Amino acid sequence: MKVFVINSGSSSIKFQLIDTQTRNYIIKGIVERIGEHDSLIRWSLKEGGSYRIEQKIENHKHALDEVFKILLDKEKGAISSLDEIDAVGHRVVHGGEKFKSSVLIDKDVLNSIKEYSILAPLHNPANITGIEAAMELLPNVPQVAVFDTSFHANMPRRAYLYALPYEFYSEKKIRRYGFHGTSHKYITERAIELLGLDINNSKLITCHLGNGASITAVKNGYSVDTSMGLTPLEGLVMGTRSGDMDPAITLFLMETYGYKPEELDKIYNKKSGLLGLSGISNDMRDIMEEMEKGNERAKIAYEVFIYRVKKYIGAYLAVLNGADAIIFTAGIGENNAHIREDICRNLEFFGIKIDKEKNEQANGKEVIISTDDSKVKVLVIPTNEELKIALETENIVENR
Ligand code: ADP
Protein backbone atom coordinates (compact mmCIF):
# COMPACT_ATOMS: atom_id res chain seq x y z
CA MET A 1 0.00 0.00 0.00
CA LYS A 2 1.22 3.53 -0.78
CA VAL A 3 0.60 5.77 2.23
CA PHE A 4 1.17 9.50 2.16
CA VAL A 5 2.35 10.57 5.62
CA ILE A 6 1.81 14.15 6.72
CA ASN A 7 3.41 15.74 9.78
CA SER A 8 2.01 19.21 9.86
CA GLY A 9 3.54 21.92 12.10
CA SER A 10 2.52 25.53 12.57
CA SER A 11 4.69 26.77 9.69
CA SER A 12 5.90 23.57 8.08
CA ILE A 13 4.70 20.30 6.58
CA LYS A 14 6.92 17.23 6.52
CA PHE A 15 5.76 14.58 4.05
CA GLN A 16 6.70 11.09 2.91
CA LEU A 17 5.14 8.71 0.47
CA ILE A 18 5.81 5.26 1.89
CA ASP A 19 5.47 1.86 0.28
CA THR A 20 4.39 -0.30 3.22
CA GLN A 21 5.45 -3.46 1.43
CA THR A 22 9.10 -2.47 1.04
CA ARG A 23 8.87 -0.34 4.23
CA ASN A 24 10.75 2.35 2.36
CA TYR A 25 9.90 5.89 1.41
CA ILE A 26 9.46 6.68 -2.28
CA ILE A 27 9.70 10.44 -1.88
CA LYS A 28 10.15 12.57 1.22
CA GLY A 29 10.43 16.26 1.89
CA ILE A 30 9.46 19.35 3.83
CA VAL A 31 7.71 22.63 3.12
CA GLU A 32 9.14 25.28 5.42
CA ARG A 33 8.23 28.85 6.41
CA ILE A 34 4.63 28.52 5.21
CA GLY A 35 2.96 31.95 5.17
CA GLU A 36 6.23 33.84 4.79
CA HIS A 37 7.78 35.34 1.68
CA ASP A 38 10.75 33.02 1.55
CA SER A 39 8.97 29.65 1.83
CA LEU A 40 11.02 26.67 0.76
CA ILE A 41 10.17 23.17 -0.47
CA ARG A 42 12.89 20.53 -0.27
CA TRP A 43 12.47 16.90 -1.27
CA SER A 44 14.38 13.82 -2.27
CA LEU A 45 13.62 10.59 -4.05
CA LYS A 46 14.59 7.14 -2.80
CA GLU A 47 15.88 6.38 -6.29
CA GLY A 48 18.17 9.40 -6.14
CA GLY A 49 17.93 13.15 -6.59
CA SER A 50 17.45 16.02 -4.15
CA TYR A 51 15.63 19.18 -5.12
CA ARG A 52 14.47 22.52 -3.76
CA ILE A 53 12.11 25.29 -4.81
CA GLU A 54 11.88 28.71 -3.19
CA GLN A 55 8.50 30.37 -3.61
CA LYS A 56 5.91 32.04 -1.45
CA ILE A 57 3.54 29.47 0.03
CA GLU A 58 0.37 31.10 1.36
CA ASN A 59 -1.00 28.42 3.66
CA HIS A 60 -1.13 24.68 4.33
CA LYS A 61 -3.55 23.95 1.48
CA HIS A 62 -1.31 25.81 -0.92
CA ALA A 63 1.65 23.85 0.45
CA LEU A 64 -0.04 20.48 -0.17
CA ASP A 65 -1.15 21.66 -3.62
CA GLU A 66 2.49 22.29 -4.50
CA VAL A 67 3.60 19.02 -2.92
CA PHE A 68 1.08 17.08 -5.03
CA LYS A 69 2.36 18.84 -8.16
CA ILE A 70 5.84 17.71 -7.17
CA LEU A 71 4.66 14.12 -6.60
CA LEU A 72 3.26 14.10 -10.13
CA ASP A 73 6.28 15.72 -11.79
CA LYS A 74 7.60 13.47 -14.56
CA GLU A 75 11.29 13.92 -13.70
CA LYS A 76 11.45 15.02 -10.09
CA GLY A 77 8.31 13.29 -8.86
CA ALA A 78 7.30 9.80 -7.84
CA ILE A 79 3.83 8.86 -9.14
CA SER A 80 1.86 9.31 -12.34
CA SER A 81 -1.55 9.84 -10.75
CA LEU A 82 -2.84 10.83 -7.31
CA ASP A 83 -4.99 7.67 -7.52
CA GLU A 84 -1.84 5.78 -6.62
CA ILE A 85 -2.11 7.14 -3.07
CA ASP A 86 -4.08 4.50 -1.13
CA ALA A 87 -4.32 6.33 2.18
CA VAL A 88 -3.10 9.36 4.09
CA GLY A 89 -1.63 9.06 7.59
CA HIS A 90 -1.57 12.19 9.75
CA ARG A 91 0.57 12.70 12.80
CA VAL A 92 -1.66 14.27 15.44
CA VAL A 93 -0.02 15.38 18.66
CA HIS A 94 -2.85 15.28 21.19
CA GLY A 95 -5.59 12.67 21.26
CA GLY A 96 -6.70 13.41 24.83
CA GLU A 97 -8.20 10.51 26.78
CA LYS A 98 -10.45 9.51 23.91
CA PHE A 99 -8.06 8.13 21.32
CA LYS A 100 -6.31 5.06 22.65
CA SER A 101 -5.30 4.00 19.15
CA SER A 102 -5.07 5.34 15.61
CA VAL A 103 -8.40 6.08 13.96
CA LEU A 104 -10.03 6.72 10.59
CA ILE A 105 -10.80 10.43 10.37
CA ASP A 106 -14.41 11.55 10.02
CA LYS A 107 -16.24 14.71 11.12
CA ASP A 108 -16.58 13.53 14.74
CA VAL A 109 -12.92 12.64 14.99
CA LEU A 110 -11.93 15.98 13.52
CA ASN A 111 -14.14 17.77 16.06
CA SER A 112 -12.55 15.86 18.93
CA ILE A 113 -9.07 16.76 17.70
CA LYS A 114 -10.25 20.38 17.62
CA GLU A 115 -11.49 20.08 21.22
CA TYR A 116 -8.09 18.83 22.34
CA SER A 117 -6.43 21.95 20.91
CA ILE A 118 -6.82 23.44 24.37
CA LEU A 119 -4.30 20.83 25.59
CA ALA A 120 -1.87 21.32 22.67
CA PRO A 121 -2.39 24.86 21.41
CA LEU A 122 0.78 24.89 19.31
CA HIS A 123 0.35 21.49 17.70
CA ASN A 124 -3.25 20.35 17.23
CA PRO A 125 -4.40 23.43 15.24
CA ALA A 126 -1.51 22.86 12.81
CA ASN A 127 -2.38 19.15 12.53
CA ILE A 128 -6.01 20.06 11.83
CA THR A 129 -4.98 22.48 9.08
CA GLY A 130 -3.02 19.65 7.44
CA ILE A 131 -5.93 17.21 7.74
CA GLU A 132 -8.44 19.66 6.29
CA ALA A 133 -6.17 20.53 3.38
CA ALA A 134 -5.51 16.86 2.60
CA MET A 135 -9.23 15.97 2.84
CA GLU A 136 -10.06 18.72 0.41
CA LEU A 137 -7.38 17.71 -2.08
CA LEU A 138 -7.88 13.94 -1.77
CA PRO A 139 -11.59 13.65 -0.86
CA ASN A 140 -11.91 9.96 -1.73
CA VAL A 141 -8.80 8.72 -0.01
CA PRO A 142 -9.11 7.35 3.56
CA GLN A 143 -7.33 9.54 6.11
CA VAL A 144 -6.05 8.21 9.41
CA ALA A 145 -4.96 10.06 12.56
CA VAL A 146 -2.01 8.60 14.47
CA PHE A 147 -1.66 10.24 17.87
CA ASP A 148 1.51 10.97 19.84
CA THR A 149 -0.44 10.29 23.00
CA SER A 150 -2.08 6.92 22.10
CA PHE A 151 0.77 4.66 23.13
CA HIS A 152 0.55 6.08 26.65
CA ALA A 153 -3.24 5.89 26.88
CA ASN A 154 -3.25 2.78 29.06
CA MET A 155 -0.99 4.12 31.81
CA PRO A 156 -2.30 3.28 35.27
CA ARG A 157 -3.89 6.19 37.11
CA ARG A 158 -1.17 6.17 39.76
CA ALA A 159 1.21 7.18 36.95
CA TYR A 160 -0.97 9.68 35.12
CA LEU A 161 -2.55 11.57 38.03
CA TYR A 162 -0.98 14.67 39.50
CA ALA A 163 -1.56 15.11 43.24
CA LEU A 164 -3.75 18.16 42.72
CA PRO A 165 -7.39 18.56 43.78
CA TYR A 166 -9.09 15.65 42.00
CA GLU A 167 -11.54 17.98 40.20
CA PHE A 168 -8.63 19.28 38.11
CA TYR A 169 -8.58 15.83 36.56
CA SER A 170 -12.25 14.88 36.62
CA GLU A 171 -13.48 18.23 35.31
CA LYS A 172 -10.59 19.70 33.37
CA LYS A 173 -8.71 16.53 32.33
CA ILE A 174 -5.43 17.77 33.76
CA ARG A 175 -3.26 14.64 33.87
CA ARG A 176 -0.14 13.11 32.37
CA TYR A 177 -0.68 12.23 28.70
CA GLY A 178 2.85 11.66 27.42
CA PHE A 179 4.15 12.23 23.89
CA HIS A 180 6.55 10.75 21.28
CA GLY A 181 4.27 7.70 21.49
CA THR A 182 4.77 6.68 17.86
CA SER A 183 8.52 6.59 18.38
CA HIS A 184 8.38 4.76 21.73
CA LYS A 185 6.00 2.22 20.19
CA TYR A 186 8.14 1.70 17.10
CA ILE A 187 11.34 1.04 19.06
CA THR A 188 9.44 -1.15 21.52
CA GLU A 189 8.26 -3.40 18.69
CA ARG A 190 11.67 -3.46 17.02
CA ALA A 191 13.42 -4.32 20.32
CA ILE A 192 10.97 -7.15 21.06
CA GLU A 193 11.63 -8.55 17.60
CA LEU A 194 15.41 -8.11 17.71
CA LEU A 195 15.76 -9.66 21.16
CA GLY A 196 13.19 -12.38 20.51
CA LEU A 197 11.25 -11.42 23.65
CA ASP A 198 7.73 -12.51 24.51
CA ILE A 199 5.84 -9.22 24.37
CA ASN A 200 3.44 -10.40 27.09
CA ASN A 201 6.32 -10.89 29.45
CA SER A 202 8.60 -7.98 28.60
CA LYS A 203 9.96 -4.91 30.39
CA LEU A 204 11.65 -2.12 28.47
CA ILE A 205 12.86 1.43 29.08
CA THR A 206 12.77 3.47 25.88
CA CYS A 207 14.79 6.70 25.67
CA HIS A 208 13.86 9.11 22.87
CA LEU A 209 16.65 11.69 23.07
CA GLY A 210 16.30 14.30 20.33
CA ASN A 211 15.73 18.03 20.44
CA GLY A 212 12.60 17.02 22.35
CA ALA A 213 13.32 14.17 24.74
CA SER A 214 11.26 11.69 26.71
CA ILE A 215 11.64 8.33 28.40
CA THR A 216 9.05 5.60 28.86
CA ALA A 217 8.63 2.51 31.03
CA VAL A 218 7.06 -0.18 28.82
CA LYS A 219 5.54 -3.31 30.34
CA ASN A 220 4.19 -6.11 28.14
CA GLY A 221 4.16 -3.74 25.17
CA TYR A 222 2.25 -0.96 26.96
CA SER A 223 3.54 2.35 28.28
CA VAL A 224 3.08 2.30 32.05
CA ASP A 225 4.80 5.61 32.76
CA THR A 226 6.47 8.34 30.75
CA SER A 227 8.37 11.52 31.50
CA MET A 228 6.34 14.03 29.50
CA GLY A 229 3.14 15.21 31.13
CA LEU A 230 0.10 17.33 30.34
CA THR A 231 2.36 18.95 27.77
CA PRO A 232 5.75 18.02 26.28
CA LEU A 233 7.49 20.32 28.79
CA GLU A 234 7.85 17.88 31.67
CA GLY A 235 10.61 15.36 32.24
CA LEU A 236 14.06 15.30 30.70
CA VAL A 237 16.28 18.27 29.89
CA MET A 238 15.67 19.10 26.21
CA GLY A 239 17.17 21.38 23.57
CA THR A 240 15.22 24.41 24.75
CA ARG A 241 12.78 22.96 27.31
CA SER A 242 13.45 22.80 31.03
CA GLY A 243 11.84 19.46 31.81
CA ASP A 244 11.09 18.84 35.50
CA MET A 245 11.20 21.72 37.93
CA ASP A 246 9.48 22.88 41.12
CA PRO A 247 6.13 24.46 40.13
CA ALA A 248 6.72 27.06 42.86
CA ILE A 249 9.39 28.57 40.60
CA THR A 250 6.55 29.85 38.42
CA LEU A 251 4.86 31.61 41.33
CA PHE A 252 8.18 32.98 42.53
CA LEU A 253 9.04 34.42 39.12
CA MET A 254 5.58 35.94 38.71
CA GLU A 255 5.44 37.48 42.16
CA THR A 256 9.06 38.58 42.48
CA TYR A 257 9.85 39.65 38.92
CA GLY A 258 6.43 40.28 37.44
CA TYR A 259 6.70 37.73 34.62
CA LYS A 260 3.50 37.15 32.67
CA PRO A 261 2.26 33.63 31.74
CA GLU A 262 3.15 34.03 28.07
CA GLU A 263 6.67 35.19 28.98
CA LEU A 264 7.22 32.17 31.21
CA ASP A 265 5.79 29.88 28.55
CA LYS A 266 8.46 31.18 26.18
CA ILE A 267 11.24 30.92 28.77
CA TYR A 268 10.38 27.35 29.80
CA ASN A 269 9.77 26.09 26.25
CA LYS A 270 12.20 28.06 24.11
CA LYS A 271 14.96 29.48 26.31
CA SER A 272 15.67 26.74 28.84
CA GLY A 273 17.14 23.25 28.59
CA LEU A 274 20.56 22.87 26.98
CA LEU A 275 20.29 26.37 25.52
CA GLY A 276 19.36 28.03 28.79
CA LEU A 277 21.97 26.26 30.89
CA SER A 278 24.82 26.64 28.39
CA GLY A 279 23.96 30.02 26.90
CA ILE A 280 25.43 28.53 23.71
CA SER A 281 23.05 26.35 21.75
CA ASN A 282 20.17 23.89 21.88
CA ASP A 283 22.18 21.49 19.74
CA MET A 284 24.03 18.80 21.66
CA ARG A 285 26.80 18.74 19.06
CA ASP A 286 27.62 22.41 19.76
CA ILE A 287 27.50 21.75 23.50
CA MET A 288 29.98 18.89 23.17
CA GLU A 289 32.28 20.86 20.92
CA GLU A 290 32.39 23.72 23.43
CA MET A 291 32.86 21.30 26.28
CA GLU A 292 35.97 19.94 24.54
CA LYS A 293 37.33 23.47 24.50
CA GLY A 294 36.83 23.71 28.26
CA ASN A 295 33.65 25.81 28.30
CA GLU A 296 32.23 25.43 31.82
CA ARG A 297 28.64 26.36 30.96
CA ALA A 298 28.59 23.71 28.21
CA LYS A 299 29.82 21.20 30.77
CA ILE A 300 27.04 22.19 33.18
CA ALA A 301 24.36 21.71 30.50
CA TYR A 302 25.79 18.32 29.55
CA GLU A 303 26.00 17.13 33.16
CA VAL A 304 22.43 18.10 34.00
CA PHE A 305 21.16 16.44 30.80
CA ILE A 306 22.95 13.14 31.52
CA TYR A 307 22.01 13.14 35.21
CA ARG A 308 18.30 13.61 34.48
CA VAL A 309 18.19 10.67 32.03
CA LYS A 310 20.04 8.49 34.53
CA LYS A 311 17.63 9.45 37.30
CA TYR A 312 14.63 8.46 35.19
CA ILE A 313 16.22 5.15 34.23
CA GLY A 314 16.62 4.45 37.94
CA ALA A 315 13.00 5.40 38.60
CA TYR A 316 11.69 3.20 35.79
CA LEU A 317 13.84 0.26 36.87
CA ALA A 318 11.97 0.53 40.17
CA VAL A 319 8.59 0.96 38.43
CA LEU A 320 9.18 -2.17 36.30
CA ASN A 321 11.12 -4.16 38.91
CA GLY A 322 14.10 -4.41 36.53
CA ALA A 323 14.16 -4.41 32.74
CA ASP A 324 14.99 -6.69 29.84
CA ALA A 325 16.41 -3.81 27.84
CA ILE A 326 17.07 -0.09 27.61
CA ILE A 327 16.76 1.39 24.12
CA PHE A 328 18.23 4.64 22.82
CA THR A 329 16.80 6.51 19.85
CA ALA A 330 16.43 9.93 18.11
CA GLY A 331 19.12 12.49 17.17
CA ILE A 332 21.18 12.26 20.34
CA GLY A 333 20.33 8.68 21.33
CA GLU A 334 21.08 7.25 17.90
CA ASN A 335 24.21 9.21 17.07
CA ASN A 336 26.30 9.73 20.17
CA ALA A 337 28.19 6.86 21.78
CA HIS A 338 29.78 9.14 24.38
CA ILE A 339 26.40 10.21 25.73
CA ARG A 340 25.08 6.64 25.85
CA GLU A 341 28.21 5.59 27.71
CA ASP A 342 27.91 8.45 30.23
CA ILE A 343 24.24 7.70 30.87
CA CYS A 344 24.95 4.01 31.48
CA ARG A 345 28.10 4.60 33.57
CA ASN A 346 27.94 3.31 37.16
CA LEU A 347 24.74 1.39 36.61
CA GLU A 348 26.46 -1.99 37.09
CA PHE A 349 24.48 -2.45 40.30
CA PHE A 350 21.38 -2.81 38.12
CA GLY A 351 23.06 -5.25 35.73
CA ILE A 352 23.75 -2.70 32.99
CA LYS A 353 27.11 -3.00 31.24
CA ILE A 354 28.04 -1.27 27.98
CA ASP A 355 30.44 -2.81 25.47
CA LYS A 356 32.59 0.19 24.51
CA GLU A 357 33.48 -1.10 21.06
CA LYS A 358 29.94 -2.14 20.08
CA ASN A 359 28.66 1.17 21.40
CA GLU A 360 31.08 3.14 19.25
CA GLN A 361 30.08 1.24 16.14
CA ALA A 362 26.36 1.57 16.73
CA ASN A 363 25.65 5.06 15.52
CA GLY A 364 22.61 5.18 13.26
CA LYS A 365 22.17 1.38 13.19
CA GLU A 366 20.14 -1.23 15.06
CA VAL A 367 22.73 -2.70 17.43
CA ILE A 368 22.93 -4.30 20.87
CA ILE A 369 25.58 -2.25 22.67
CA SER A 370 25.68 -4.05 26.03
CA THR A 371 28.21 -6.75 26.92
CA ASP A 372 27.14 -10.37 26.47
CA ASP A 373 26.92 -10.81 30.24
CA SER A 374 24.94 -7.61 30.84
CA LYS A 375 21.72 -8.61 32.61
CA VAL A 376 19.89 -5.71 31.02
CA LYS A 377 20.44 -5.45 27.27
CA VAL A 378 21.13 -1.97 25.90
CA LEU A 379 20.25 -1.20 22.29
CA VAL A 380 20.41 1.56 19.73
CA ILE A 381 17.38 1.53 17.42
CA PRO A 382 16.98 4.41 14.96
CA THR A 383 13.40 5.61 15.19
CA ASN A 384 11.16 5.85 12.14
CA GLU A 385 7.97 7.66 13.09
CA GLU A 386 6.85 8.08 9.48
CA LEU A 387 7.09 4.36 8.76
CA LYS A 388 5.18 3.61 11.96
CA ILE A 389 2.46 6.10 10.94
CA ALA A 390 2.26 4.45 7.49
CA LEU A 391 1.96 0.96 9.00
CA GLU A 392 -0.69 2.06 11.51
CA THR A 393 -2.59 3.73 8.67
CA GLU A 394 -2.45 0.58 6.54
CA ASN A 395 -3.71 -1.48 9.47
CA ILE A 396 -6.68 0.84 10.10
CA VAL A 397 -7.62 1.07 6.41
CA GLU A 398 -7.40 -2.68 5.82
CA ASN A 399 -9.50 -3.47 8.90
CA ARG A 400 -12.18 -0.83 8.53
P1 ADP B 1 13.66 16.42 16.79
O1 ADP B 1 13.02 15.42 15.86
O2 ADP B 1 13.17 16.35 18.20
O3 ADP B 1 13.77 17.79 16.25
P2 ADP B 1 16.06 14.84 16.37
O4 ADP B 1 15.65 13.52 16.87
O5 ADP B 1 16.29 15.03 14.92
O6 ADP B 1 15.16 15.99 16.97
O7 ADP B 1 17.39 15.24 17.15
C1 ADP B 1 17.99 16.47 16.91
C2 ADP B 1 19.11 16.65 17.89
O8 ADP B 1 20.00 15.53 17.84
C3 ADP B 1 19.97 17.85 17.53
O9 ADP B 1 19.49 18.99 18.15
C4 ADP B 1 21.32 17.45 18.06
O10 ADP B 1 21.46 18.03 19.34
C5 ADP B 1 21.28 15.97 18.24
N1 ADP B 1 22.31 15.25 17.50
C6 ADP B 1 22.32 14.84 16.19
N2 ADP B 1 23.47 14.21 15.89
C7 ADP B 1 24.22 14.22 17.03
C8 ADP B 1 25.51 13.73 17.39
N3 ADP B 1 26.29 13.09 16.52
N4 ADP B 1 25.93 13.94 18.65
C9 ADP B 1 25.17 14.57 19.56
N5 ADP B 1 23.95 15.05 19.28
C10 ADP B 1 23.49 14.88 18.05
Side-chain angles (χ1 to χ4, degrees):
M1 183 181 278
K2 279 185 188 144
V3 180
F4 190 61
V5 175
I6 298 179
N7 180 353
S8 189
S10 55
S11 65
S12 71
I13 295 181
K14 289 186 202 149
F15 61 91
Q16 287 198 18
L17 183 64
I18 292 181
D19 182 339
T20 55
Q21 212 167 6
T22 63
R23 294 180 156 234
N24 261 317
Y25 72 90
I26 301 165
I27 180 171
K28 67 175 179 182
I30 180 166
V31 187
E32 293 169 284
R33 299 197 287 271
I34 296 170
E36 292 175 37
H37 284 286
D38 55 348
S39 320
L40 174 67
I41 312 177
R42 291 183 285 135
W43 74 99
S44 55
L45 302 172
K46 177 77 184 154
E47 292 195 337
S50 294
Y51 309 94
R52 55 188 284 150
I53 300 176
E54 278 176 55
Q55 72 171 87
K56 182 167 168 49
I57 304 280
E58 303 284 348
N59 51 40
H60 285 65
K61 175 155 181 299
H62 184 194
L64 282 185
D65 250 335
E66 294 302 319
V67 169
F68 288 152
K69 275 189 216 157
I70 287 168
L71 291 186
L72 294 168
D73 189 281
K74 283 210 167 59
E75 281 154 35
K76 301 171 188 169
I79 49 177
S80 49
S81 154
L82 289 182
D83 293 343
E84 286 181 45
I85 298 176
D86 298 303
V88 181
H90 294 271
R91 176 197 181 202
V92 179
V93 167
H94 218 304
E97 282 197 316
K98 182 171 182 175
F99 297 110
K100 293 187 188 293
S101 56
S102 306
V103 61
L104 198 67
I105 301 174
D106 59 18
K107 262 210 175 98
D108 287 346
V109 169
L110 199 54
N111 283 335
S112 296
I113 298 172
K114 282 181 185 166
E115 273 171 37
Y116 294 131
S117 287
I118 190 167
L119 297 171
L122 296 180
H123 294 100
N124 273 30
N127 302 153
I128 292 160
T129 318
I131 293 171
E132 286 178 335
M135 285 177 106
E136 206 175 319
L137 292 165
L138 298 171
N140 301 317
V141 178
Q143 317 248 345
V144 171
V146 180
F147 301 94
D148 273 22
T149 46
S150 287
F151 183 54
H152 307 294
N154 294 299
M155 270 188 287
R157 67 181 176 202
R158 60 177 179 268
Y160 72 67
L161 280 179
Y162 294 110
L164 291 165
Y166 190 71
E167 296 70 34
F168 281 34
Y169 167 64
S170 57
E171 290 168 18
K172 310 222 182 293
K173 297 293 164 208
I174 291 176
R175 53 160 283 181
R176 176 182 311 288
Y177 289 97
F179 298 88
H180 287 144
T182 310
S183 177
H184 288 292
K185 190 174 182 187
Y186 176 78
I187 60 171
T188 291
E189 290 170 357
R190 289 300 304 142
I192 300 254
E193 199 176 324
L194 285 166
L195 296 172
L197 295 172
D198 169 10
I199 189 162
N200 297 317
N201 188 18
S202 63
K203 296 188 275 193
L204 305 175
I205 297 174
T206 52
C207 310
H208 178 109
L209 309 179
N211 197 25
S214 67
I215 177 165
T216 298
V218 186
K219 190 169 184 195
N220 301 342
Y222 289 101
S223 164
V224 292
D225 201 355
T226 191
S227 59
M228 284 179 167
L230 174 75
T231 76
L233 183 58
E234 195 180 346
L236 302 178
V237 175
M238 306 178 220
T240 58
R241 283 174 244 164
S242 63
D244 293 340
M245 61 179 167
D246 183 346
I249 293 170
T250 300
L251 310 178
F252 180 81
L253 289 174
M254 290 175 100
E255 281 170 6
T256 312
Y257 299 109
Y259 281 108
K260 296 190 175 64
E262 59 275 20
E263 287 172 321
L264 289 179
D265 185 51
K266 195 167 171 198
I267 292 169
Y268 295 164
N269 278 294
K270 304 249 184 258
K271 294 188 181 296
S272 298
L274 294 176
L275 174 66
L277 281 171
S278 71
I280 298 165
S281 167
N282 65 314
D283 193 309
M284 187 56 100
R285 287 163 292 197
D286 299 337
I287 302 288
M288 293 181 82
E289 216 178 289
E290 282 301 311
M291 207 165 63
E292 294 264 296
K293 293 184 201 154
N295 186 314
E296 194 56 24
R297 290 273 299 274
K299 195 157 174 265
I300 291 169
Y302 184 84
E303 278 172 12
V304 179
F305 176 91
I306 299 287
Y307 180 75
R308 187 81 54 87
V309 180
K310 213 179 175 73
K311 199 157 106 171
Y312 266 96
I313 289 177
Y316 289 169
L317 283 167
V319 164
L320 295 169
N321 187 15
D324 297 307
I326 297 172
I327 302 117
F328 288 100
T329 198
I332 297 172
E334 287 168 28
N335 297 310
N336 203 290
H338 195 75
I339 290 178
R340 293 190 298 259
E341 193 180 340
D342 280 348
I343 290 171
C344 295
R345 180 164 293 126
N346 296 330
L347 293 180
E348 295 86 3
F349 175 80
F350 298 102
I352 297 166
K353 279 195 260 171
I354 293 284
D355 182 316
K356 220 172 153 54
E357 214 167 290
K358 285 185 196 157
N359 184 31
E360 270 156 24
Q361 286 160 7
N363 292 342
K365 290 185 294 228
E366 290 186 342
V367 182
I368 298 172
I369 60 167
S370 46
T371 58
D372 291 343
D373 65 342
S374 180
K375 199 163 93 185
V376 179
K377 302 288 167 222
V378 184
L379 286 85
V380 174
I381 298 182
T383 195
N384 193 339
E385 287 163 289
E386 287 77 13
L387 173 61
K388 186 70 193 144
I389 291 172
L391 294 173
E392 293 265 324
T393 300
E394 176 181 55
N395 186 31
I396 295 287
V397 170
E398 281 185 346
N399 293 305
R400 80 192 139 132

